[in-house]
Amino acid sequence: MKILVVLRMIPDSAGELELTSDGRGIDREWLDFQLNDFDDHALEEAILLKEASGATVVAVAIGEGSNRVLQMAVARGADEAIALEAEGDGMIDSRAIAGSIVALARSKAADLLLCGVQSTEDLFGQLVPYAGALLGWPHVSGSSRVGIEASALRVTQERGGGIAATYEIALPAVIGVQTASKAPRYVSGSKLREASKTAIGKAPSEPAGFERSAEIVALRLPGQRGSGENLGDNPENVADRLASILAAKGFAGV
Amino acid sequence: MSETPILWIVTLAAAALTLWRSRRYIAALAQAPGASRFDQPWRRLEGVAIAVGLHRKMLRKPLSGILHALIFVSFFVLFTVTIEAFGSRLFPGFSLTPIGGDSWIALLQDLFAVLMLLGLGLAVYQRYALKPARFRGSSGSDAAIIYVLILLIVSSLLIEAGARIVGGADGSWRPVGSLVADLLRALDLAAHPTERIAYWIHIGAILAFLVYIPGSKHRHMFLAAPNIYFRNLEPAGTAPAVPSERENPGVTSLGQFDWKQQLDLLSCTECGRCQAVCPAYASGLPLSPKMLITDMRDALANDASGPLVGGIIAEETLWACTTCRACMEACPVEIEHLPKIIDMRRHLVDEGHVSPMLQDALTNLTRLGNSMGKPSKMRARWTKELGFPVKDARSEPVDVLWFVGDYASYDPRVQDVTRKVAELFTAAGVDFGILFDAERNSGNDVRRAGEEGLFETLAQSNIDAIRECSFNRIVTTDPHSLNALKNDYRHFGAEFEVLHYTALLAELIAAGKLDITAAGGALVTYHDPCYLGRYNGGFDAPRDLIKAAGYTLHDMPRCRENSFCCGAGGGRIWQGDDGVKERPSENRIREALSLGVDMFVVACPKDKVMYTAATDALGVAGQLKVVDVAELISLREAPAAETDDRVEGCAING
C-alpha cells in the first residue's frame, strides 16, 4: 500500500498578524510558519499504518518551511519527501492545490490520500472532498482512528454527542484526519539531524481545472476586546471591588 | 598437623572464593568502553589525599565522619595484627618484634582496638538509635554482618593478646591486653587453648570478611580510593558528550557505560548522603540517587536480564531529576549520578518517550528556539519599555554581549528584572548589546533532558550568531545559559569569556561605577541557584551585591554548595507535578520563612518564577517577597527619574 500525506504550512498563530496593504491578505513577510496541526496527525496516522501493515509513505509539503517539516516527516518514518511548488506566497487555497495533490497521488500510484481535516486556511475542510471528487475515490472526513483490515480501511469518524461511527471503505480512498490513533510522536534532534541529509524531491504546481468562482475582497483582523482588570490580592478590597462591579453591571443590588 | 599448611589452604581457598565472587564485576569492568581518566596524576592523588586522608566530605556529617575516621585509622593500625597473624604462621619465623611488634606497635594495637570498638559502638548507635532517614533503602543486614565480623576480629585479637599474657608474655606494652588477661584469669581459662581458639576465630573472621566483601557495600574499602582517583576533572558544568563510537545517543544496557561509570556502581557505600540532599526524593518523586546506583549495581551483580531503561530504572525515576548536582556534591566517593541519568534520558528521547508537556517544550524549542512557543521576533520585546535603545550586537561592536535567555526575555514575571539589569548596565556606562531574534535557548536544560541532537542545533545556532559579533565578554542573566555557554559550548571549540550579571554588577560596584543608595540593613536571605553556585562557583558576587545594596544577609541552613534546588532544572520546568507531595520550591520557602526575613533574594530568572509561584501557593506572598538581587540595588541619581519609581513599584508588587 502506498500512502500520500499532505503537510500544509500555516502562519504561526502566536505571531502578530498584519494585513497586506490592499487589505485582502495576511502580510506573510514577518511571520513564522508551522505545520498545520491536523496534518501532523495525518502524518502520524500514515506512519502508524506503515508500522502496522508495511505501507510506503510519501510526504508532500506546501508552503514556507516545507523542507524543515519534510525532514521531520522522514525522521518520523516517511519514505519519500516532496516539496510542492506553490503559486505565489499567499494563503494555501484547497481549491487551488487540489489539482497538484491529485496529480501527485496518480503519479505516485497512491492507494490512500491522508490530509488534515482542516487548516486555519481551510476551516471548512474542502481539500478532502475536492481531492476525492477529482480522483473519483470515496472520502471520509473527521477520522479519529484509521485501521486496515484485509484490503479495506476501517475509519472511525467522530460525530456530535460523543457518538463515533465506523466505516469500512474500499481502497483507494481519501481520509481527512482529525486525530491520529495515537498522539504524534516526538522525534529527537539527533534523528532530525540525520534526516537533514535526505534528498527532497520537487513537484510542480498543476491546475485543478476549476473555473474561477470567487475571490476575497476584504480581510479583517479580530477586533480589540476589552482588557481585564486585576483586582489585587487583598481579600477585602477584592470583595468590595467585585461587589461594586457586579452592582454597576446590574447583576446584584447594593 | 602443623598450622602452616592448614592456614595456607584456608587462605588460598578464601582468596580463590573471593575472586570467584568478584568475577562478574571483573568481567564487566574489563569489557566496558574506555574512559580517559588517567591524566593529571598529581591532581588526582591530591584529591584522594583530601577525600580519604582528611575525610573532608565525610566530616560534613560530624558523627558519621568521626566514627568512620576511628574505624578507618584503627583498620590501618590493626592491619599490623593481621600481618603478624598470617605472617607468623604462613612463613614460620616471621615476626614484627624486631621493629617493635612487642613494644610500641603492641601499644598502638591495644589502643586502636579500643578506638575501633568505640567507632563500632558509635556506628551501631547511629544506625539503630538515631536511624537517619538517609539509610532508608540501604541494606540493614549487610551493615549488621559487618559489625559482627569487626566485633569478632577485634575481640578475638584482644583475647589472644590477653591469653598470651596469662601464658607468661610481657604485658607492659599492652594495657588493654593486661586487663583482658586479668579477666581470663578470673574466669580461670587455660592460656594456651584460649590463645589458639582466639587466633583461629581471628583468622576465620578476617577470611570471612574477605570472602564476604565482593557482595557487600564494603567493597568500598578497596574501590573508594580508586573511584576518587579516577573522578571527573572536567568542569562540573560540562555534560559528557556522546562518545563517537556509540551508535545511538543514549544507553540501553549497563554494559554501554564506560568503566568509570560502572566502577561508580561498585563503589557505593549506601551512606545515603545523596538521598538526603535530593530535591526529587524530598518531594516524594520515585528517585533516590542512592537507589538509582544500588539498583544498577544489583543488576550488574546478578547479571539481570530485562531492559535497563524502563526496567531496572523506571522512566519516572529518570525524569524526576532536576540535575541540581547536590548528590554528586555530597558523595564522599565521587560517584557520578548525572552522566548516567542523562545517558539514559538520551535513550528515552531518542525513542520519543517523552511526556506531552516535555514534547511541547522540545517541539517549540526545535521550531522557534524557545520553550514557550513565542515567535523569535518577540524575544527583544522587553526592550520597548526601556527609556533608551539597546544596541544590536550583530550590527555594531560592543564591549559586553548580553545573552539574555528565554525566561528573562519572554516571561512577564521576569521582564521587569531584565529591564532593571539593563538600566544598571547603562547607569554604569557599560557598552552592551544583545542578539535580538538571533538568540536561541542556550540548550543547557535541553541537553540535560537528554536531547543531545537538539542541544547541538541550538548551540551551533548561538555560536554562529555570537561569532558574527564583535565583543570582549559575554554576560548572561540566566545561570543555566551561563553554564552552557561557558562549559558545554567547549565541545564545539567555542571558548568565550562568560560571566553572570551578578559578577559584572559586583565588578562595576567594586570599580565605583555604580552610585548606590544603601538600604537600612534590612534582613534578607539568598538562594544560591544550582547552575550559578554548585556548578560554577558563583557564591560571592550575589552576596557582595546584597551587602553593597545595604541589606543584611541571613543565609539559610542549606546554602552555597549545599543549596536546595528550586525544582526547575534539567528540564523539570517543562514537566508536570504528578506524584509531587511537596514542591521543592515550597520546601525551600518554608526554610526561608523559619528565618524571619522579609525578602527572599534570587539571582536566576527561573527562581523568580518558581519562588513567586511558591509564595503564592503557600499564601505567604505578603510575608516574604521574592526579589532579584538586581531589584535590591537602587541608584542614587538614576539617569531618568521614573526609573527608580518603577523599580520601587516593582518591589512592592513582587
Side-chain angles (χ1 to χ4, degrees):
Chain A
M1 185 167 71
K2 200 163 210 179
I3 305 171
L4 189 74
V5 56
V6 181
L7 308 174
R8 288 162 288 183
M9 302 303 293
I10 54 163
D12 184 348
S13 51
E16 284 169 60
L17 299 183
E18 279 177 37
L19 297 185
T20 49
S21 53
D22 64 4
R24 293 165 62 180
I26 291 168
D27 186 351
R28 299 167 92 90
E29 182 155 4
W30 299 105
L31 285 180
D32 283 324
F33 289 82
Q34 65 180 97
L35 174 61
N36 176 31
D37 210 28
F38 294 108
D39 294 350
D40 197 16
H41 278 264
L43 171 65
E44 188 62 30
E45 198 70 280
I47 303 297
L48 290 171
L49 283 171
K50 174 184 169 172
E51 286 169 352
S53 63
T56 307
V57 175
V58 181
V60 52
I62 310 146
E64 194 178 321
S66 286
N67 282 9
R68 181 168 51 78
V69 158
L70 285 169
Q71 287 164 2
M72 182 272 289
V74 170
R76 268 161 69 172
D79 301 279
E80 194 181 342
I82 299 170
L84 184 65
E85 282 173 19
E87 275 180 62
D89 59 353
M91 224 178 246
I92 297 173
D93 179 353
S94 294
R95 186 179 159 88
I97 63 166
S100 309
I101 303 285
V102 162
L104 261 179
R106 287 209 181 95
S107 71
K108 294 285 167 191
D111 310 286
L112 178 61
L113 177 59
L114 291 181
C115 318
V117 64
Q118 56 177 204
S119 86
T120 48
E121 294 175 337
D122 178 13
L123 265 189
F124 304 106
Q126 292 184 314
L127 183 59
V128 171
Y130 273 134
L134 287 172
L135 286 163
W137 295 358
H139 63 87
V140 172
S141 275
S143 76
S144 58
R145 179 174 293 273
V146 179
I148 187 139
E149 270 171 37
S151 60
L153 283 181
R154 286 179 79 85
V155 181
T156 304
Q157 180 192 50
E158 292 214 349
R159 300 274 182 88
I163 291 172
T166 299
Y167 293 89
E168 193 174 281
I169 300 174
L171 289 171
V174 186
I175 308 293
V177 178
Q178 179 161 306
T179 54
S181 309
K182 277 190 201 165
R185 69 196 65 193
Y186 180 68
V187 56
S188 72
S190 57
K191 288 194 170 137
L192 280 179
R193 290 169 79 86
E194 191 61 34
S196 66
K197 296 163 194 157
T198 317
I200 289 172
K202 278 202 166 71
S205 165
E206 301 277 346
F210 295 121
E211 294 292 314
R212 183 177 147 148
S213 58
E215 61 187 68
I216 293 172
V217 290
L219 274 184
R220 185 170 57 77
L221 289 171
Q224 185 70 41
R225 274 165 289 177
S227 55
E229 180 185 338
N230 186 346
L231 300 185
D233 53 8
N234 179 331
E236 283 180 25
N237 295 352
V238 171
D240 286 347
R241 179 75 192 114
L242 194 58
S244 64
I245 291 171
L246 290 176
K249 303 260 182 206
F251 288 106
V254 177
Chain B
M1 195 174 166
S2 144
E3 285 180 336
T4 299
I6 298 174
L7 187 59
W8 270 108
I9 291 167
V10 291
T11 305
L12 289 176
L17 194 56
T18 306
L19 269 180
W20 185 78
R21 277 171 55 84
S22 311
R23 69 197 183 283
R24 286 208 179 106
Y25 307 135
I26 295 168
L29 290 178
Q31 290 161 11
S36 42
R37 298 290 176 94
F38 294 97
D39 57 332
Q40 309 182 57
W42 293 111
R43 198 173 148 206
R44 292 184 178 281
L45 276 177
E46 188 192 351
V48 176
I50 291 169
V52 180
L54 300 180
H55 267 48
R56 184 180 279 174
K57 280 189 181 176
M58 291 296 295
L59 287 165
R60 285 183 190 167
K61 294 208 178 289
L63 175 63
S64 296
I66 289 167
L67 79 86
H68 189 273
L70 285 172
I71 294 174
F72 174 76
V73 177
S74 305
F75 169 82
F76 280 99
V77 174
L78 296 184
F79 197 64
T80 58
V81 178
T82 310
I83 291 170
E84 217 166 3
F86 280 85
S88 62
R89 302 297 208 282
L90 292 176
F91 308 101
F94 174 89
S95 171
L96 290 180
T97 309
I99 56 160
D102 281 339
S103 56
W104 65 275
I105 294 180
L107 178 64
L108 284 179
Q109 289 171 348
D110 239 36
L111 295 177
F112 278 92
V114 175
L115 290 179
M116 177 70 103
L117 290 178
L118 177 64
L120 185 65
L122 289 173
V124 168
Y125 170 71
Q126 172 174 253
R127 190 170 292 265
Y128 300 110
L130 299 180
K131 295 184 187 159
R134 64 191 167 94
F135 287 157
R136 207 165 291 148
S138 301
S139 167
S141 57
D142 189 14
I145 289 170
I146 293 294
Y147 294 158
V148 170
L149 285 173
I150 294 177
L151 185 66
L152 275 179
I153 290 168
V154 177
S155 55
S156 61
L157 80 85
L158 285 174
I159 292 169
E160 190 194 348
R164 268 206 301 272
I165 293 166
V166 173
D170 174 22
S172 50
W173 287 91
R174 291 194 182 273
V176 185
S178 299
L179 286 176
V180 176
D182 291 344
L183 184 71
L184 293 177
R185 282 190 202 100
L187 292 172
D188 209 14
L189 289 171
H192 190 62
T194 308
E195 185 191 335
R196 286 202 62 193
I197 291 168
Y199 172 79
W200 283 103
I201 289 177
H202 186 69
I203 291 289
I206 285 175
L207 293 177
F209 195 86
L210 183 70
V211 172
Y212 182 68
I213 278 179
S216 150
K217 71 190 177 95
H218 282 73
R219 272 184 310 264
H220 80 264
M221 288 172 60
F222 299 106
L223 299 182
N227 207 55
I228 295 166
Y229 180 85
F230 292 118
R231 73 193 178 280
N232 183 22
L233 295 183
E234 291 282 296
T238 308
V242 175
S244 52
E245 61 273 15
R246 212 186 268 169
E247 212 167 288
N248 293 310
V251 153
T252 51
S253 69
L254 288 170
Q256 285 176 287
F257 283 120
D258 68 41
W259 61 263
K260 173 56 176 64
Q261 298 301 323
Q262 297 197 40
L263 186 63
D264 275 354
L265 305 181
L266 304 178
S267 308
C268 178
T269 67
E270 301 184 19
C271 71
R273 288 167 191 242
C274 52
Q275 179 175 298
V277 295
C278 176
Y281 184 81
S283 67
L285 287 172
L287 166 63
S288 148
K290 176 182 71 182
M291 309 284 273
L292 176 94
I293 298 298
T294 56
D295 285 349
M296 286 196 278
R297 176 200 68 194
D298 294 345
L300 192 69
N302 304 324
D303 239 347
S305 55
L308 169 65
V309 183
I312 296 161
I313 304 297
E315 290 188 19
E316 307 80 69
T317 299
L318 294 172
W319 291 124
C321 176
T322 68
T323 70
C324 76
R325 213 176 172 278
C327 52
M328 290 176 62
E329 180 63 36
C331 181
V333 298
E334 299 289 333
I335 288 171
E336 298 161 19
H337 309 73
L338 286 178
K340 298 177 185 64
I341 291 176
I342 294 171
D343 258 343
M344 288 186 274
R345 283 180 171 183
R346 283 172 176 161
H347 168 66
L348 287 173
V349 169
D350 202 46
E351 294 286 299
H353 283 269
V354 292
S355 70
M357 268 179 80
L358 182 59
Q359 177 166 352
D360 278 352
L362 293 175
T363 305
N364 286 337
L365 284 157
T366 307
R367 209 160 58 79
L368 302 161
N370 69 78
S371 61
M372 290 95 165
K374 301 260 175 76
S376 346
K377 304 218 168 57
M378 283 167 71
R379 187 174 274 276
R381 167 70 55 94
W382 62 270
T383 57
K384 276 196 174 176
E385 286 173 43
L386 280 173
F388 49 88
V390 173
K391 273 187 170 184
D392 187 341
R394 297 170 299 178
S395 54
E396 52 187 318
V398 291
D399 176 31
V400 170
L401 173 59
W402 184 7
F403 192 95
V404 187
D406 286 6
Y407 277 83
S409 298
Y410 288 114
D411 196 296
R413 291 165 288 187
V414 193
Q415 284 171 335
D416 276 339
V417 179
T418 310
R419 282 187 282 269
K420 179 65 193 280
V421 172
E423 282 157 7
L424 292 173
F425 286 170
T426 305
V430 178
D431 172 27
F432 70 96
I434 63 175
L435 290 169
F436 287 85
D437 54 316
E439 186 183 300
R440 298 277 175 279
N441 180 288
S442 71
N444 188 68
D445 300 274
V446 170
R447 183 170 217 202
R448 281 153 187 84
E451 227 312 7
E452 189 70 7
L454 176 55
F455 162 71
E456 285 173 19
T457 306
L458 293 168
Q460 203 58 62
S461 170
N462 281 323
I463 291 170
D464 291 347
I466 291 169
R467 283 193 173 145
E468 289 289 305
C469 305
S470 165
F471 64 96
N472 294 314
R473 296 193 289 180
I474 297 177
V475 66
T476 75
T477 319
D478 197 322
H480 297 244
S481 325
L482 171 83
N483 188 65
L485 268 64
K486 191 172 156 187
N487 301 311
D488 280 328
Y489 285 12
R490 297 184 315 136
H491 283 317
F492 305 93
E495 302 230 10
F496 304 121
E497 187 186 344
V498 194
L499 69 166
H500 192 235
Y501 73 98
T502 54
L504 181 59
L505 288 176
E507 190 185 300
L508 294 169
I509 288 173
K513 292 190 176 158
L514 275 173
D515 195 8
I516 299 171
T517 312
L523 267 184
V524 301
T525 195
Y526 168 69
H527 166 76
D528 287 283
C530 307
Y531 279 92
L532 178 60
R534 209 156 26 230
Y535 272 96
N536 288 294
F539 298 116
D540 297 325
R543 289 180 167 79
D544 292 346
L545 290 177
I546 290 169
K547 203 175 149 204
Y551 292 87
T552 310
L553 175 65
H554 187 342
D555 263 321
M556 287 178 273
R558 293 176 291 185
C559 64
R560 300 179 73 93
E561 288 91 346
N562 302 320
S563 180
F564 188 72
C565 177
C566 73
R572 278 295 305 167
I573 204 165
W574 306 317
Q575 306 255 29
D577 273 347
D578 283 355
V580 172
K581 294 196 183 77
E582 185 195 26
R583 292 189 192 99
S585 54
E586 292 171 16
N587 178 312
R588 186 64 158 165
I589 288 296
R590 287 199 178 92
E591 183 179 8
L593 283 171
S594 69
L595 301 177
V597 297
D598 301 330
M599 278 192 242
F600 186 92
V601 183
V602 296
C604 167
K606 291 185 185 79
D607 281 335
K608 176 93 179 173
V609 172
M610 295 297 285
Y611 290 119
T612 306
T615 50
D616 283 345
L618 293 173
V620 296
Q623 213 175 318
L624 187 68
K625 282 172 203 151
V626 177
V627 290
D628 190 276
V629 66
E631 292 174 283
L632 290 183
I633 301 172
S634 63
L635 295 168
R636 194 183 301 275
E637 271 182 78
E642 73 269 23
T643 305
D644 255 3
D645 293 346
R646 177 155 68 233
V647 169
E648 275 175 38
C650 165
I652 290 160
N653 294 333

